[in-house]
Amino acid sequence: MAIAEASGNHVLADLYKTVSVHLREWFLQVHPDTATFLETQQLHEQLLKHITDGEPKKARNTASKIISWQ
């Protein structure tokens, strides 16, 4: 939610606040513990670096790796 609010887009922030309740419930069912996050920590750090460095293609590729992690 912090990212949505920081974007300055009030419609996006309001939408995310509404959806986040349901998203949280689903997320907790899919990820009952932190195992996946521990395994993908390095990828999340890379994603943040690509975003802060303004490298959208690298960020997209890294996000795809995170999403498809098994």
Side-chain angles (χ1 to χ4, degrees):
M1 287 185 27
I3 293 172
E5 291 174 358
S7 73
N9 183 329
H10 300 292
V11 173
L12 178 64
D14 287 344
L15 178 64
Y16 196 85
K17 285 177 188 176
T18 302
V19 172
S20 67
V21 173
H22 302 288
L23 182 61
R24 182 179 185 275
E25 291 173 7
W26 168 83
F27 198 84
L28 289 173
Q29 289 176 355
V30 174
H31 300 287
D33 57 39
T34 59
T36 301
F37 301 102
L38 293 173
E39 294 172 3
T40 60
Q41 178 65 33
Q42 183 181 6
L43 289 172
H44 283 90
E45 290 174 9
Q46 286 177 359
L47 176 59
L48 176 60
K49 183 178 183 328
H50 296 321
I51 291 170
T52 57
D53 290 349
E55 298 176 318
K57 288 183 181 180
K58 289 182 179 181
R60 184 176 56 244
N61 289 338
T62 303
S64 293
K65 289 178 185 178
I66 293 169
I67 292 168
S68 64
W69 188 267
Q70 295 179 358

